[in-house]
Each structure stands twice: as C-alpha cells, then as structure tokens.
C-alpha cells in the first residue's frame, strides 16, 4: 500500500519547467523575457508594474521588458493537465532515462517522439540528459532530413527548440543542419513546417533558423535555400498571431545581411507588409516586439538604394512610421527615425519629405529629439528638422530652433 501511494504521488508531481519561478504555481499563460526565462504572464506583469527593470530569476538588467508567449510550453502544460486526472493518471513524461535512450537510439515514430518530448519537459535534468547525449542531436537531425511527414517534422522541431538553450547545442545544430557534401537536406523540412505546420511549429522553426544563422556563411546558406526566404517572409504576412509575425521578421532580420537578400525581400513586398503591420496593430505591450522587428527590417532594407526607393514610393508606409514615433518603444522610435532619415535626408526624396511634413512629422521629430534617445538619433533628428522645416506648412514651426530644450507634447 505504501508503495502504491508513493507511486501515485510521483504521478502527480508537477514538472519543474511548468512552474512559474515567481508564484511557483503551474503557469496558465507562460511568457518569456529577453533573458530566456519563462514566467506566468500575471506574475511577471505584476513584477514589471512595480517598476522593476530586472529578470526576477537571474537579476539581469532588462534591455527590454517585452514578453513573448511561450507557445510550446503552454501546449505542453495543457497536454500534461489533460492527462492528469487527480492522482489516478500519470503525465505523458513517465519514462525512464533508459527508455528515453532506447527511443533516441532506435526507430522514431510519432508516439516515441511524443514520449521524448514528455520526458524532456518533465525536468531540467531530463532536458540536459537529452541535450548533452553524444548522438541525440545528430539522430534527430538525420531523421528530420529524411522525413516528409509533417507531424514528425513538427515534433522534431519541438524537441530541437526545447534543447536549443543548452550550452553548445546552437553550434552543434549549426554544423549538423548546414553541413555540406553529405547529401542531406536539412533545410527543406523547415520549409515544409513553415508551409503546412501549425502556428507553434512555424514559430519554433523560425526561431531555430535564426539560432543557427551564427555567421555570414550560415546566413547565406539559409537565405539561398530555394523558397525558404519566402516562407519566412510569408510567416510575417499571413499569420495573425503576433508571436508568429515577430518570429518571422526576427529570422529575416538575422539573415538579411547582403544586398541580394534585401532585394529579394523588397521584391516580395516587405515594405508594404511592414506598412500593414504598423497600421494594423495597437500599442499594447504584447505587440511591441513585432513592431520593433518590423521597423528594424525596414531600416535594414533602407541601407540599399532599392530599399530607399521602395519606401519612398510607398507613401502609406512612411505615414505609418511617423505615426508610430514615440508611441511604441524607444527602440522602435529609433528604428523609425533612421528609416525617415534614410529616405528624407540620405536619398533626399521630395515625395517622402512632403508625406512626413503633411502628417505633422516635424513636431514628432522634435519630440524625439528632446527625448532620451542616442546621440546618433539626435543627430539624424537635427538633419530631419532642417529638411522638414522647409516643407512644413505650419508657420509656427518653421522658425523653430533645434537648440530648444523643451516643447509641449501635443
């Protein structure tokens, strides 16, 4: 009887990864900070509302207080809860290390991969066991390259995403996925998931692609894989989930380091897409990351002549950039100023200058200039003021001196 009672207690033990580090309760809406630590949304929002600027678990200073929904963990928690019926049911993670090792070294199928996922999420110790195993990552990647079943590909992406934060995993994934000359194609399955997978799997695929793009060579391989660049772009256009949009843009931002890639994005319609993102989202914290990435990718394409031309031609996009200044975050505002400076000052596009002036852009730029922005941004604001002053139709702003230390917000 004692043994049976002990067994039941083990069955209902909550996996440590499912507990919020603040409340220690099972998370209902897990979200991650930029430090990579996940908390329950209500707990971390209370922490941030008190004025804290640090990660509670690591005490690192937060460069950004934006949170990203941890869709993988949320689904796993729901799966675990659905299997836990009081003390009579066991969570889907009740396999031993020996059983996990046998699965990893044996033949994979959807059921065995589901057991590995449950094993990994049961504890941090289990996660490290899989991540640091001598051949586990190579086995997963090999099977990933051979499989054309969407469910299998989604499960392997889920496993790779779970173990990716461990030290050394990023580099191993980079070498295995992007290895040349062995006849394997480990990038096509990512396209399959991005095209046919569920939203969570698409987000994880974009995250992994960003993770392994650690140098110019790997960035080039990902960008030059036929169709993959467009699949990532498409993720930011067809998905309504802000985390999916942000993930797609974030991956694009990482690999868009060469002019040919930027030109491809312009051809796809990235300028129009960013304009829609800026006009369609509200100002709430959950969408800040997506807006920041949208403006960052626009800043990237503005570094080439074709990009500045496309932005100047899309008057609506220019207008939306002006509207977003000072209304999202300091990071987004600085990206927006850089884009406006690129088309109005560097390219000296008159149509763009007039569009900015028509929507009270001069006042917005002056507000940014008086804010706590970087010295480089202040310099760009000063040059924008000179250009926009001549275009402004507001006589009270035309003679404005950029040395003024205060203006009244409108």
């Amino acid at each position: 009887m004692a043994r049976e009672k002990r067994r039941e207690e083990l069955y209902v033990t909550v996996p440590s990864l499912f507990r919020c580090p603040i409340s220690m309760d099972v998370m209902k809406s897990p979200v991650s900070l930029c430090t990579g630590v996940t908390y329950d949304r209500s707990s971390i929002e209370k922490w941030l509302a008190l004025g804290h600027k640090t990660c509670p678990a690591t005490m690192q200073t937060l460069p950004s207080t934006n949170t990203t929904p941890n869709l993988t963990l949320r689904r796993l928690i729901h799966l675990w809860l659905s299997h836990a019926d009081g003390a009579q049911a066991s969570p889907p993670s009740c396999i031993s290390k020996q059983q996990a090792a046998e699965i990893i070294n044996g033949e994979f199928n959807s059921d065995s991969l589901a057991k590995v996922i449950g094993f990994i999420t049961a504890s941090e110790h289990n996660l490290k066991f899989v991540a640091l195993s001598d051949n586990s990552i190579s086995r997963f990647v090999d099977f990933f390259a051979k499989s054309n079943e969407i469910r299998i590909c989604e499960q392997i992406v889920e496993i790779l995403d779970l173990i990716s934060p461990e030290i050394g995993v990023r580099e191993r994934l980079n070498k295995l996925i992007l290895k040349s000359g062995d006849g394997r194609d480990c990038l096509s399955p990512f396209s399959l998931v991005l095209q046919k997978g569920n939203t969570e799997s698409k987000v994880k695929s974009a995250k992994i692609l960003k993770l392994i793009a650690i140098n110019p060579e790997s960035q080039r391989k990902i960008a030059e894989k036929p169709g993959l660049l467009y699949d990532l772009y498409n993720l930011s256009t067809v998905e309504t989930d802000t985390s999916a949009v942000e993930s797609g843009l974030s991956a694009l931002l990482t690999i868009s380091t060469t002019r040919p890639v930027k030109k491809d994005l312009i051809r796809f319609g990235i300028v129009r897409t960013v304009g829609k993102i800026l006009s369609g989202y509200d100002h709430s914290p959950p969408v800040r990351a997506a807006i920041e990435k949208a403006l960052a990718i626009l800043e990237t394409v503005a570094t080439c002549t074709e990009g500045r031309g496309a932005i100047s031609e899309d008057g609506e996009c220019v207008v939306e950039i002006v509207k977003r200044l000072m209304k999202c975050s300091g990071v987004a505002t600085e990206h927006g100023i850089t884009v406006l400076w690129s088309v109005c000052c560097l390219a000296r596009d008159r149509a763009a200058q007039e569009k900015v002036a028509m929507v009270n852009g001069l006042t917005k730029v002056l507000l940014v200039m008086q804010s706590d922005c970087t010295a480089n941004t202040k310099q760009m604001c000063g040059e924008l003021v000179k250009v926009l002053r001549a275009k402004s139709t507001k006589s009270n702003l035309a003679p404005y001196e950029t040395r003024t230390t205060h203006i009244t917000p409108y």
Side-chain angles (χ1 to χ4, degrees):
M1 289 297 293
R3 182 177 298 176
E4 290 298 321
K5 182 177 180 181
R6 174 59 178 165
R7 185 177 300 164
E8 290 182 357
E9 289 174 353
L10 287 173
Y11 284 163
V12 296
T13 299
V14 178
S16 60
L17 289 177
F18 294 175
R19 293 183 183 275
C20 173
I22 296 176
S23 68
M24 297 308 295
D25 293 328
V26 176
M27 290 181 277
K28 296 179 180 178
S29 180
V31 295
S32 300
L33 289 176
C34 58
T35 56
V37 181
T38 299
Y39 303 89
D40 189 64
R41 183 184 294 279
S42 61
S43 297
I44 193 60
E45 286 184 349
K46 289 178 183 177
W47 171 267
L48 297 173
L50 292 173
H52 296 295
K53 301 295 183 182
T54 57
C55 173
T58 66
M59 295 312 293
Q60 291 176 262
T61 301
L62 297 172
S64 170
T65 57
N66 295 330
T67 58
T68 303
N70 192 326
L71 301 178
T72 298
L73 191 55
R74 183 177 67 183
R75 191 173 75 82
L76 290 171
I77 291 173
H78 288 173
L79 179 64
W80 180 79
L81 289 173
S82 68
H83 281 72
D85 182 15
Q88 302 302 316
S90 63
S93 57
C94 290
I95 63 172
S96 66
K97 285 184 180 180
Q98 182 179 349
Q99 290 173 313
E102 290 173 354
I103 291 174
I104 291 172
N105 293 311
E107 291 297 323
F108 291 140
N109 56 46
S110 184
D111 289 339
S112 64
L113 289 172
K115 291 178 181 178
V116 172
I117 292 171
F119 175 77
I120 292 173
T121 57
S123 71
E124 220 172 305
H125 188 68
N126 289 356
L127 187 153
K128 291 182 182 295
F129 174 79
V130 174
L132 301 179
S133 173
D134 290 337
N135 65 340
S136 62
I137 297 178
S138 60
R139 289 276 295 143
F140 292 133
V141 172
D142 283 340
F143 196 71
F144 187 60
K146 297 174 184 176
S147 179
N148 57 5
E149 295 182 34
I150 182 62
R151 181 56 189 150
I152 294 292
C153 290
E154 285 182 321
Q155 288 175 308
I156 293 179
V157 164
E158 190 168 336
I159 291 171
L160 297 181
D161 178 63
L162 286 169
I163 65 177
S164 63
E166 290 300 308
I167 296 174
V169 171
R170 178 185 186 184
E171 289 74 16
R172 292 172 66 188
L173 286 175
N174 172 273
K175 291 179 181 178
L176 290 168
I177 293 175
L178 300 177
K179 183 187 291 185
S180 302
D182 59 359
R184 294 186 311 170
D185 179 7
C186 299
L187 289 177
S188 288
F190 285 107
S191 282
L192 176 65
V193 175
L194 288 168
Q195 292 170 13
K196 299 182 179 180
N198 57 43
T199 298
E200 293 178 18
S201 298
K202 292 177 181 179
V203 169
K204 289 190 282 283
S205 292
K207 286 172 60 180
I208 293 171
L209 289 170
K210 175 188 175 183
L211 187 76
I212 64 175
I214 59 179
N215 52 45
E217 179 65 15
S218 55
Q219 293 159 6
R220 180 188 62 78
K221 287 183 178 180
I222 295 171
E224 291 181 355
K225 175 63 183 178
L228 189 53
L229 187 68
Y230 183 77
D231 290 331
L232 287 171
Y233 163 76
N234 205 40
L235 183 60
S236 65
T237 62
V238 301
E239 295 291 340
T240 56
D241 189 296
T242 55
S243 64
V245 173
E246 190 272 336
S247 295
L249 291 172
S250 186
L252 288 176
L253 189 61
T254 301
I255 63 178
S256 301
T257 57
T258 64
R259 186 169 183 173
V261 176
K262 295 171 188 176
K263 289 174 69 175
D264 282 340
L265 290 179
I266 294 164
R267 178 169 53 84
F268 294 157
I270 191 67
V271 175
R272 181 177 63 255
T273 295
V274 170
K276 291 180 178 179
I277 291 172
L278 296 179
S279 64
Y281 284 171
D282 57 27
H283 307 292
S284 59
V287 302
R288 285 179 184 169
I291 295 173
E292 288 176 359
K293 292 300 188 300
L295 288 167
I297 197 75
L298 206 61
E299 179 182 335
T300 296
V301 300
T303 59
C304 66
T305 304
E306 295 83 358
R308 293 190 291 273
I311 295 168
S312 298
E313 290 173 6
D314 194 320
E316 290 306 310
C317 183
V318 173
V319 168
E320 293 303 327
I321 294 171
V322 176
K323 290 180 179 179
R324 284 289 179 178
L325 294 179
M326 303 289 288
K327 288 190 175 179
C328 178
S329 69
V331 172
T333 294
E334 295 197 357
H335 287 316
I337 287 293
T338 304
V339 175
L340 295 178
W341 176 86
S342 296
V343 295
C344 294
C345 299
L346 184 60
R348 294 193 174 277
D349 187 274
R350 293 184 179 181
Q353 293 171 358
E354 291 174 357
K355 279 286 187 181
V356 174
M358 286 173 59
V359 290
N360 210 17
L362 178 56
T363 302
K364 280 292 192 79
V365 172
L366 289 169
L367 283 169
V368 176
M369 199 172 182
Q370 304 305 318
S371 68
D372 185 23
C373 59
T374 65
N376 190 45
T377 300
K378 288 183 185 293
Q379 183 178 344
M380 286 188 285
C381 285
E383 294 180 25
L384 279 167
V385 167
K386 292 177 183 178
V387 170
L388 297 176
R389 186 160 32 184
K391 296 289 182 180
S392 178
T393 58
K394 294 182 178 295
S395 59
N396 62 316
L397 289 176
Y400 184 86
E401 292 293 335
T402 59
R403 293 189 304 271
T404 305
T405 58
H406 174 75
I407 57 176
T408 302
Y410 61 97

